[in-house]
Amino acid sequence: MANSILIVEDDEILADNFCTYLQRRQFDVMVCSSAEDALPIIEAQHPDLVLTDYCLPGMSGCDLISRARAMDEQLKVIMITGHGNVQGAVEAMKAGASDYLTKPVALAELKLVVDKVLEARRQEQRLSFYQRREAQDSGLTGLIGDSEPMRTMKDMVRQVLAAEERMAGEDLPVVLIEGETGTGKELVARALHFDGARRKGPFVEFNCASIPSHLLEAELFGHEKGAFTDAKDRRVGLVEAADGGTLFLDEVGEIDLLLQAKLLKLLEDRTIRRLGSVRERKVNLRIISATNCNLEQMVQEGKFRRDLFFRLRIITIKVPPLRARSDDVLTLAEHFVAQHGKRYGKPGLRFSPEAKAVLRGYSWPGNVRELRNMLEQTVLLAPGTVIGPEQLTICRDLLAGAGVTEAAASMVTGGPLGLEDENMSLSDAERDLVVKVLGKTDWNISKSARMLGLTRDMLRYRIDKLGLERPDRHQH
């Protein structure tokens, strides 16, 4: 579709020349002679670009820019000024013009400037689209689960967001997100950003373990041309890219001690210095970090700076592992199956009771990421609409590595659970699994909990919920 351009020019000959030239290059062109005539056209037609003279009868070109941009802040405007009228060009740029041309205007130069401004508009639209799409997939709604540990964590996130809304643009507190690999720490960081006060700014994510340590500084803080052997151009770092928004440092425990000092300076002063530069630059951003390491232990071992540790954990949010949220396993599994089913054109997939028992009985050492990735293969290879336990590629070796016996591994990976009845309900399957494990351990709660991949409290909760009692309790 051709881009639409509105020409606002009281010189009829010049306006006609511009119009003819741009129409021959496949632009949709409208022409008017005053700002007063242009405003209703802009409001009704929403042109992609306005090309306006500085000196117009009545309202000036700068006034037109201000009024037009109030209607549509995405509108692009090119100002045409008299030769040498630098002040007029400066006023136009301050009013919101994207570029300017001086008279006499060479038509070839006009085409170059028009193309440049329209390409910038397309880039902004693409960026805006991706930002909107990213925001739709983020926020608190992206944190799936209603188990007690998840409700506690989400309540804390809401409290932080509510406090930040009352801060009226001040520096937001630094947040440290702790949790095992695969628990969804990034989703919590996104919720804090996209539901928070800086939601309109950029969200820049960086995994500190993803590149060698000697390249981390240049990646984060940027560099000047010639700062080191391969620095052939100036480069803005991720910290500057996050200005006005949020910088999320994942796996912050992987940063070496030298860079930790520079990160501490950023947190304290909100200033950075590019590699090879003598100038410090002020930045306005909030920092969220995440780790699956025990930072306290690293501090004690001298591997992590004590002052940085206390600066990072002004607010600490702990993301629970999936084994502590067993009530959420089926909710997450059904969500991922629907998601993957849509992707692979397999709608309506569902789990059999036996498969549900397997999902709930497994300890999920890889947490939510393991569940999601395992179910992608399950969906891809599913021959029918019902997913059975034999289609779930549970990792037996990981279970054994966690101290689970072969018999228990067989139980939670689709072995003989005594589920001969195809109409057995999920609660019956769960009861059968728990009773079998308790029987094998002679009701040793700690050992049974380890075999089932549950905490002691979670197993006690299930025993009470299922109304189970030790068989010999009433024999005394």
Side-chain angles (χ1 to χ4, degrees), residues 296-347:
E296 291 186 48
Q297 182 178 342
M298 292 180 67
V299 169
Q300 293 173 351
E301 295 171 352
K303 297 177 181 178
F304 202 85
R305 290 179 63 109
R306 184 179 300 270
D307 47 6
L308 178 58
F309 171 68
F310 289 117
R311 192 66 179 81
L312 287 175
R313 66 187 299 271
I314 292 176
I315 296 175
T316 303
I317 298 175
K318 297 184 183 293
V319 184
L322 190 53
R323 63 180 173 275
R325 328 165 31 190
S326 57
D327 291 343
D328 293 334
V329 170
L330 292 183
T331 302
L332 285 163
E334 288 165 356
H335 167 76
F336 291 137
V337 161
Q339 192 178 68
H340 295 320
K342 182 178 180 181
R343 178 182 177 188
Y344 292 111
K346 293 184 175 182

Side-chain angles (χ1 to χ4, degrees), residues 415-429:
L417 296 172
L419 299 175
E420 291 83 5
D421 184 358
E422 294 182 357
N423 297 318
M424 178 177 283
S425 68
L426 176 60
S427 60
D428 290 337

